[in-house]
Amino acid sequence: MTEPATRDRAASAPRPALLTVDDDPAVSRSVARDLRRRYGDEYRVVRAESGEAGMEVLRELKLRGEQAAVLVADHRMPGMSGIEFLEHAMDLYPQARRVLLTAYADTDVAIDAVNVVDLDHYLLKPWDPPEEKLYPVLDAQLEAWVASAPRPVVETKVVGHRWSARSSELREFLARNQVPYRWFTSDGPEGRRLLEAAGLDERAVPVVVTTEGEVLAAPSDAEVAARVGLSVEPAAEFYDLVVVGGGPAGLSAALYGASEGLRTALVERTATGGQAGQSSRIENYLGFPDGVSGSQLTERARRQALKFGAEIVMTRDAVGLEVAGSARAVRFADGSTVGAHTVILASGVAYRELDGPGFAALTGSGVYYGSALTEAPACRDHDVYVVGGANSAGQAAMFLSRTARSVTLVVRGASLASSMSHYLVEQVTTNDRIRVLTRTEVVEAVGDGHLERLVLRDCDTGARQTVDTGWLFVFIGAAPHTGWLEGTLARDEHGFVRAGHDLLVDGHVPASWPLDRPPYHLETSVPGVFAAGDVRAESAKRVASAVGEGAMAVMLVHRYLEQL
């Protein structure tokens, strides 16, 4: 007799379900009894006495993130037959094994069902003794399920106010870091139940409940990261290479550094991907003719960097760069440091914030900066406004137009052509749901607790108009996060880091440069510190160029290290 199949699961994960559906209570109890006797230690046996009740059980399991391993249904049931039940169940649990209970007279029907619902097996009633006629069949089905079923996903829960800026930030943080979570409003029934179970009230939100049941009231990003499995502490004190920033340039640098044998650590403030990671669709990146979302692209890059041994440390805010002989050290906001022979600055840029009445107060409550992916589901059948004229704004407008009633793209310039890729201009201008307002700016946001209206201004005439909307997504400008480098590295008037030829004065190396050789192409005013991607002055501000510069910076790191 073979032992029941088991699978390697986390101790906190609920047991997968074995669901039996039969309208005869006696048969239902008999099936459940035999299943519990054999499989009760590893699987949770659940029974239902109709197809409709069985579907309700599956919906509840799906909502809780639990798994269904085997479905056993009687063929002859009123209302919904066993075949019909198994066919519907495939939509919720396509990988669950499907077994039909049938009488000898219905054998032909059971055989035909193999082609209809991809039936895995059928059992003739009665199956006594179960050791010979039931358990061998179920053992085989469970072994097959274990080999193919995905690992269980136990989701983190977030409870918060719908129009809370911090609640929105937490959801964005989890989503961008690929952490599965479920969102509950604090005034909804499940949200209230979770708060009651935690002994908290609405004043404590946002509240995060981890998969282990730990409750975090109004937590910081670092606290959440540490509890959901993200790395928040460097494993070592010194590396060959430290990369600051986890956008395309930083991920590329970490990947190539680690794959070429450098002890590499990447430190990131919020989430890998940068602005590219927030893009709903990138269609002009080499090798993806059908397009790819920014989150998919950067998540693949993150996994690839980890595969080669790069260390990725999250929620680390760099506040200083220190130079001590040949060593370079990045200082964090908590006072700790991490040292390295070389540093690649790839911290990218952030969207500039709108300056005017109401915008600061309503940020996260209807006014959002680069968070179209997270908030898009709530915009269904609403009128949405997007500010910006570059690719990120166009991609957001296209994405939102799938479900929004209308999308208005507000652009200060005279046309989209000067800042948006040609292919995207064509898509935007031919989309019936998108309206483009050129030579227009948003000057005020109005609302009590959340956005209700916007004030638009005509840049040529100065005329103003007020429009009703609860949604504004902002994708304007590029502000580099480089204030922490003040007094250490040379930057241009906009804060972008100067590197390579941009450091030369009238074609000559400046007197402050300490080495006999000129700076390498991506090398900053401090030898051994390089800049890649959008943070670098005069960069192309495209994903492909950022990836290329990240790889090139590693090549220059090798050249620098050879001379130490």
Side-chain angles (χ1 to χ4, degrees):
M1 182 185 300
T2 60
E3 290 301 317
T6 62
R7 67 178 308 161
D8 182 19
R9 298 188 302 273
S12 60
R15 291 175 297 167
L18 305 181
L19 175 61
T20 171
V21 185
D22 198 305
D23 66 308
D24 186 330
V27 174
S28 178
R29 287 192 296 269
S30 176
V31 175
R33 181 196 63 228
D34 287 344
L35 292 180
R36 289 194 184 99
R37 184 189 305 163
R38 173 72 168 175
Y39 307 104
D41 290 341
E42 294 294 326
Y43 297 88
R44 186 159 65 93
V45 178
V46 184
R47 67 187 184 93
E49 295 184 359
S50 71
E52 292 81 359
M55 288 303 301
E56 186 61 31
V57 169
L58 290 181
R59 292 188 189 99
E60 292 179 5
L61 292 174
K62 194 72 173 179
L63 289 174
R64 293 199 298 263
E66 298 183 26
Q67 294 178 302
V70 176
L71 310 176
V72 181
D74 182 54
H75 171 54
R76 290 183 178 271
M77 292 190 295
M80 181 186 294
S81 71
I83 293 176
E84 290 172 331
F85 165 75
L86 293 173
E87 189 172 13
H88 289 304
M90 287 177 65
D91 295 333
L92 292 177
Y93 286 97
Q95 290 179 304
R97 308 299 290 184
R98 293 170 289 278
V99 178
L100 190 70
L101 289 177
T102 182
Y104 181 79
D106 294 322
T107 303
D108 291 340
V109 175
I111 294 173
D112 290 340
V114 172
N115 297 322
V116 176
V117 296
D118 193 21
L119 192 68
D120 294 303
H121 207 281
Y122 66 89
L123 281 169
L124 293 177
K125 298 189 293 184
W127 55 83
D128 289 332
E131 288 77 11
E132 295 181 10
K133 297 183 179 180
L134 176 64
Y135 296 152
V137 172
L138 267 294
D139 285 347
Q141 298 308 315
L142 287 171
E143 288 172 1
W145 179 79
V146 167
S148 63
R151 295 182 63 86
V153 177
V154 183
E155 295 174 322
T156 296
K157 301 176 182 65
V158 181
V159 183
H161 293 302
R162 176 66 192 89
W163 299 110
S164 160
R166 182 55 187 152
S167 295
S168 176
E169 290 172 358
L170 264 179
R171 294 169 63 196
E172 184 85 359
F173 175 79
L174 292 170
R176 292 185 60 195
N177 281 289
Q178 307 293 316
V179 177
Y181 75 94
R182 185 165 295 168
W183 161 253
F184 301 94
T185 57
S186 56
D187 58 353
E190 184 62 19
R192 287 195 296 266
R193 283 193 288 267
L194 287 169
L195 289 176
E196 182 179 356
L200 301 171
D201 57 30
E202 289 194 17
R203 292 172 296 180
V205 299
V207 170
V208 175
V209 182
T210 70
T211 55
E212 290 77 26
E214 184 178 6
V215 177
L216 307 175
S220 67
D221 287 352
E223 290 173 322
V224 174
R227 300 304 196 283
V228 298
L230 301 178
S231 176
V232 296
E233 295 287 345
E237 296 182 356
F238 199 86
Y239 296 84
D240 295 318
L241 169 64
V242 167
V243 181
V244 180
L251 288 169
S252 173
L255 189 160
Y256 280 97
S259 67
E260 294 173 11
L262 299 177
R263 293 170 299 164
T264 303
L266 182 152
V267 293
E268 165 58 40
R269 298 173 65 198
T270 306
T272 53
Q275 281 192 354
Q278 296 174 283
S279 176
S280 57
R281 194 151 198 83
I282 301 171
E283 296 192 57
N284 60 347
Y285 188 73
L286 185 67
F288 291 88
D290 298 322
V292 62
S293 73
S295 61
Q296 289 175 323
L297 183 64
T298 55
E299 174 60 13
R300 291 176 182 178
R302 185 192 70 85
R303 294 202 312 267
Q304 198 172 8
L306 291 172
K307 168 189 171 183
F308 284 111
E311 185 181 334
I312 298 180
V313 184
M314 302 303 302
T315 66
R316 283 296 182 170
D317 193 4
V319 297
L321 178 65
E322 301 171 356
V323 179
S326 62
R328 312 290 182 251
V330 176
R331 187 172 70 257
F332 301 123
D334 64 357
S336 63
T337 62
V338 60
H341 290 301
T342 59
V343 173
I344 294 178
L345 302 174
S347 51
V349 296
Y351 295 114
R352 295 185 185 277
E353 297 185 1
L354 291 172
D355 184 18
F359 295 116
L362 294 174
T363 296
S365 302
V367 177
Y368 303 96
Y369 292 88
S371 56
L373 288 175
T374 303
E375 298 295 334
C379 296
R380 179 177 295 274
D381 299 326
H382 287 251
D383 297 316
V384 176
Y385 282 72
V386 177
V387 180
N391 280 9
S392 54
Q395 290 160 353
M398 289 296 299
F399 180 73
L400 291 165
S401 70
R402 298 177 187 177
T403 56
R405 180 167 54 200
S406 71
V407 177
T408 301
L409 189 58
V410 183
V411 185
R412 293 186 63 183
S415 72
L416 296 174
S418 60
S419 55
M420 189 179 293
S421 295
H422 177 70
Y423 81 91
L424 195 51
V425 173
E426 290 187 331
Q427 291 181 2
V428 168
T429 54
T430 57
N431 189 313
D432 293 337
R433 292 193 180 185
I434 299 178
R435 176 181 59 148
V436 180
L437 293 180
T438 58
R439 298 296 295 153
T440 305
E441 58 184 357
V442 182
V443 295
E444 184 178 354
V446 181
D448 182 10
H450 62 87
L451 179 66
E452 298 171 5
R453 295 179 299 280
L454 292 173
V455 179
L456 308 181
R457 175 182 175 275
D458 187 300
C459 296
D460 296 322
T461 67
R464 297 189 175 209
Q465 64 169 316
T466 301
V467 296
D468 294 330
T469 184
W471 305 95
L472 176 66
F473 297 92
V474 183
F475 301 85
I476 58 170
H481 179 62
T482 58
W484 61 286
L485 298 170
E486 177 70 35
T488 305
L489 295 184
R491 300 177 298 153
D492 68 11
E493 63 273 19
H494 302 294
F496 292 94
V497 176
R498 296 185 184 276
H501 292 295
D502 291 331
L503 292 172
L504 304 181
V505 178
D506 296 327
H508 299 286
V509 176
S512 59
W513 178 252
L515 302 181
D516 294 335
R517 64 166 177 81
Y520 295 134
H521 175 54
L522 300 178
E523 197 167 22
T524 70
S525 56
V526 174
V529 177
F530 302 83
D534 291 359
V535 74
R536 184 179 65 84
E538 304 300 326
S539 63
K541 306 297 186 291
R542 287 291 186 268
V543 175
S545 61
V547 170
E549 288 189 8
M552 182 186 297
V554 171
M555 179 193 72
L556 299 174
V557 161
H558 280 291
R559 189 177 300 176
Y560 171 84
L561 291 174
E562 289 171 357
Q563 298 177 355
L564 286 183

